Amino acid sequence: MATLRPFEKMPIVNVAAVLLVGSEESHREQLAQAMLKEPKTFDVKIHMTQSLPLPFEGDYLRPRFDLVVFLINLHSQLSLNDVLSSMMHLDAYFYLGKTCFLATKGKHGSVQHCVIDITTVKDLADKHLSILIQSELDNEEDVTFTARRLLNILKICAGLVPGISSLYMSSLTETF
Amino acid sequence: MNHIDVSEFKARFKKTIHSVMKNVTIHFKDFGDGMWIRIAWGQTSMKPNQYRPTFVVYHTQTPYVFITSLLNTFRPVLCQALLSAAKYSQIQEMELKSRCLDSLKDLVFKRFTQVSLSLDARVTYENLKEKERIHHLTRETFGDGPLPKLENASYKLETTFKGEHGIAEKIEPFRCVVKFSSPNLLESIRSLAPSGVAEAPISSLLTCIPHRARNMFKISDKKPMQPTSSQATN
């Protein structure tokens, strides 16, 4: 029973929890730091890991995850493989707006080093009705901007925006 | 600056000071891991005051100096001498003062442990076991200390195409060279697993470089995926 389920635990008042899944530690840390720094009206808990499933031992300490972000580095086949294997350990209900893909290193100067085609990741996101964000994460501004976007999505997924639920996220994807 | 330049530094430093002020005694001493300079200042009419010397601590490998007991009148001369001796174009005072030289050094050389993200209660690392395993493996393979500086590693492949029977034998072997380059190759290889770029354990083709003292390899088919004949190292 290693599957992560979205509604198994009770939510905490005014707290949103996000799980960052991706092989590159520096990307996870940069985003986490930026998300913590941003001014927000709710408390945030950030958990990070390289891949799912999460270790069984700490399960009772974990919050209810409102959003799972999959980080894919387009320069690294390993990062895509880790994400693909992790996605199988996520309950199907997570894919109703509570997951999000973040693809890095796909722009301008680094296109020639891309091992993974961006269309592969786009297809992956579309098939799972999830948002895809592309970001370079190579300067502070970019990291801050991405963190803000993730926090906006997280706020909705945690039910902290009145009138909007995570099910509305699918309207932001192309296939509908 | 290397050892040869140190005597040049001392000579230039003395020369610059003495070209402006004759009545100054300067002594150099290598103490700990840095160079200590003791300067007793005098004026045109006065002999150098040995009771109020200025001390300068300079680690030649770094762009930092630590100065104590310096009167404002002698500041320009000292700065000029340091610039000219160490061959820098400018010097700037840091907003950092303390009675403890070791602490200053730790702060400036960033030898203290930075407050990390893991101390923040809002952040949880779920993969600590895996991180520990990788850290352990990396330490076993590369050790703890600084690694020798290499810029390249090249692997010459003389392997044949491995495919369907009947086709493979007819195709000429691929001739291919895989080259890794980096400002510090061994450090990059060491950080492959901890940074998440590659899975641990890292391929022995990369980790064997320091152990076998070679960075040019020929890989041929006789023994698959094993470096064979020898070549001169870099």
Side-chain angles (χ1 to χ4, degrees):
Chain A
M1 274 300 185
T3 322
L4 204 60
R5 293 176 204 283
F7 299 116
E8 247 179 355
K9 302 187 183 190
M10 295 295 289
I12 310 165
V13 176
N14 209 36
V15 170
V18 61
L19 176 63
L20 302 177
V21 181
S23 61
E24 302 242 353
E25 173 129 17
S26 59
H27 291 166
R28 302 194 308 255
E29 301 229 329
Q30 278 181 301
L31 278 174
Q33 229 159 19
M35 285 171 84
L36 291 174
K37 264 201 268 180
E38 279 295 300
K40 41 198 176 297
T41 55
F42 55 98
D43 289 325
V44 74
K45 283 196 195 297
I46 305 177
H47 287 231
M48 302 194 275
T49 187
Q50 177 149 350
S51 63
L52 297 175
L54 296 175
F56 177 72
E57 295 85 45
D59 194 56
Y60 64 100
L61 290 169
R62 272 180 214 127
R64 187 185 85 157
F65 288 118
D66 301 298
L67 175 68
V68 176
V69 184
F70 289 110
L71 294 109
I72 300 172
N73 180 350
L74 295 176
H75 289 188
S76 161
Q77 185 65 42
L78 175 67
S79 74
L80 179 65
N81 292 348
D82 274 349
V83 163
L84 288 174
S85 69
S86 303
M87 284 172 74
M88 297 195 286
H89 292 101
L90 216 55
D91 184 71
Y93 278 107
F94 257 113
Y95 294 104
L96 292 172
K98 285 181 179 290
T99 48
C100 164
F101 291 86
L102 177 62
T104 56
K105 303 264 194 294
K107 301 235 168 110
H108 317 300
S110 18
V111 171
Q112 67 262 41
H113 299 301
C114 280
V115 173
I116 303 162
D117 202 7
I118 185 63
T119 47
T120 316
V121 184
K122 274 190 188 156
D123 279 341
L124 188 67
D126 282 345
K127 281 204 184 89
H128 292 87
L129 301 175
S130 300
I131 298 169
L132 169 63
I133 300 176
Q134 266 195 283
S135 179
E136 283 302 280
L137 296 185
D138 53 4
N139 61 51
E140 225 182 285
E141 222 180 286
D142 212 32
V143 176
T144 312
F145 186 68
T146 312
R148 264 189 222 147
R149 287 182 77 177
L150 288 176
L151 282 171
N152 283 336
I153 299 169
L154 177 62
K155 195 175 181 188
I156 296 171
C157 292
L160 298 170
V161 178
I164 310 179
S165 83
S166 58
L167 290 173
Y168 283 87
M169 293 302 186
S170 54
S171 64
L172 294 170
T173 60
E174 275 181 23
T175 57
F176 199 80
Chain B
M1 277 179 74
N2 51 36
H3 278 297
I4 310 162
D5 289 339
V6 166
S7 47
E8 202 196 310
F9 171 91
K10 292 177 184 175
R12 286 169 78 111
F13 185 84
K14 272 188 162 165
K15 188 175 158 203
T16 314
I17 300 246
H18 285 140
S19 67
V20 180
M21 300 169 69
K22 291 271 185 275
N23 259 341
V24 177
T25 49
I26 303 169
H27 287 115
F28 299 93
K29 191 176 176 77
D30 281 316
F31 188 73
D33 46 356
M35 181 204 296
W36 283 65
I37 312 173
R38 180 187 178 279
I39 307 148
W41 305 96
Q43 304 274 35
T44 40
S45 49
M46 293 181 342
K47 276 201 291 196
N49 185 349
Q50 302 294 345
Y51 297 103
R52 301 286 245 10
T54 298
F55 286 100
V56 175
V57 180
Y58 177 39
H59 289 70
T60 51
Q61 308 293 337
T62 73
Y64 296 102
V65 286
F66 305 87
I67 304 173
T68 181
S69 312
L70 180 68
L71 290 177
N72 282 338
T73 31
F74 304 124
R75 245 179 99 159
V77 186
L78 178 62
C79 290
Q80 189 55 51
L82 286 168
L83 285 174
S84 130
K87 298 191 192 155
Y88 282 95
S89 56
Q90 63 174 42
I91 184 168
Q92 191 183 355
E93 182 177 346
M94 287 179 73
E95 304 286 341
L96 189 63
K97 267 192 190 143
S98 166
R99 296 183 70 95
C100 174
L101 176 63
D102 283 329
S103 307
L104 285 176
K105 282 197 259 179
D106 285 345
L107 276 169
V108 164
F109 302 149
K110 301 234 184 313
R111 296 200 286 233
F112 59 97
T113 45
Q114 306 249 19
V115 177
S116 66
L117 206 59
S118 53
L119 290 178
D120 194 322
R122 298 170 290 180
V123 171
T124 311
Y125 289 81
E126 293 280 2
N127 56 337
L128 281 176
K129 256 204 200 145
E130 179 67 12
K131 274 177 82 149
E132 181 59 26
R133 180 189 80 96
I134 291 174
H135 178 77
H136 188 69
L137 268 174
T138 310
R139 207 169 181 192
E140 256 181 21
T141 322
F142 293 101
D144 266 333
L147 290 165
K149 249 189 163 191
L150 279 182
E151 286 81 39
N152 298 299
S154 72
Y155 300 83
K156 212 171 184 180
L157 301 176
E158 288 170 358
T159 48
T160 50
F161 180 71
K162 282 175 177 46
E164 313 203 336
H165 275 296
I167 303 174
E169 291 85 30
K170 292 179 189 161
I171 300 177
E172 291 275 308
F174 285 139
R175 301 200 188 283
C176 172
V177 177
V178 178
K179 199 171 181 187
F180 295 88
S181 26
S182 163
N184 190 333
L185 185 74
L186 292 176
E187 276 299 340
S188 326
I189 297 174
R190 173 155 66 174
S191 60
L192 278 177
S195 62
V197 173
E199 274 183 331
I202 302 293
S203 161
S204 57
L205 283 171
L206 291 170
T207 58
C208 74
I209 293 172
H211 300 136
R212 299 183 56 160
R214 47 183 300 196
N215 65 344
M216 292 161 81
F217 299 91
K218 252 196 215 153
I219 303 171
S220 63
D221 258 343
K222 294 189 186 114
K223 278 179 187 170
M225 295 315 278
Q226 244 185 33
T228 54
S229 62
S230 59
Q231 271 240 309
T233 56
N234 201 355

